[in-house]
Amino acid sequence: MSFMPWNQKFELGIAEIDEQHRNLVKLTNALHDEIIANGSRGAALGEILESLVDYTHNHFIAEEMLMETIHYVETVEHKSEHNRFTAKVLDLLTRYESGEPVALEVLEFLKLWLIHHICRVDRAYLPYFKRHTATASNDATGAANEPMGERA
């Protein structure tokens, strides 16, 4: 059984974001497996931490672009949460690289943060996403049904 099994409650219904969240959970589980297999100073631990930093950075960019596209009113606050996460993970990575035993702190932080962020913070922009996709779909359908000469 994995440390943090994927759960349907993590799914937002946005394929790209759900896949990225799955990968973040996989990286968290890989970190856990490395700690179990090789202890808190295993050689691969630093690589996994760096992968988490890189992957979350790219995920945050994609998510923030989506929020801007859908005109999510809490984009600034959401970005602030992303920035706090990034600062914390970078701090943990720096502490790890200086020899401090942070492995268990990292695992606990990631698990709690991912569950909270996906299930509460990310879920908050879903109504905006659904409205935006419904509006875009209606606009496309309306344009497709107009006679060629009536389009602006």
Side-chain angles (χ1 to χ4, degrees), residues 5-22 25 114-115 117-120 122-126 130:
W6 181 257
N7 187 313
Q8 280 190 319
K9 70 181 179 180
F10 300 151
E11 293 182 10
L12 299 177
I14 304 170
E16 177 185 8
I17 301 298
D18 287 342
E19 186 58 32
Q20 291 171 359
H21 287 160
R22 273 188 203 87
V25 169
L114 284 168
I115 291 170
H117 190 78
I118 294 170
C119 295
R120 294 205 176 177
D122 284 352
R123 198 161 295 285
Y125 66 72
L126 283 181
K130 289 176 182 174

Side-chain angles (χ1 to χ4, degrees), residues 132-149:
H132 178 77
T133 54
T135 301
S137 177
N138 289 340
D139 290 348
T141 303
N145 291 331
E146 289 179 10
M148 291 293 282

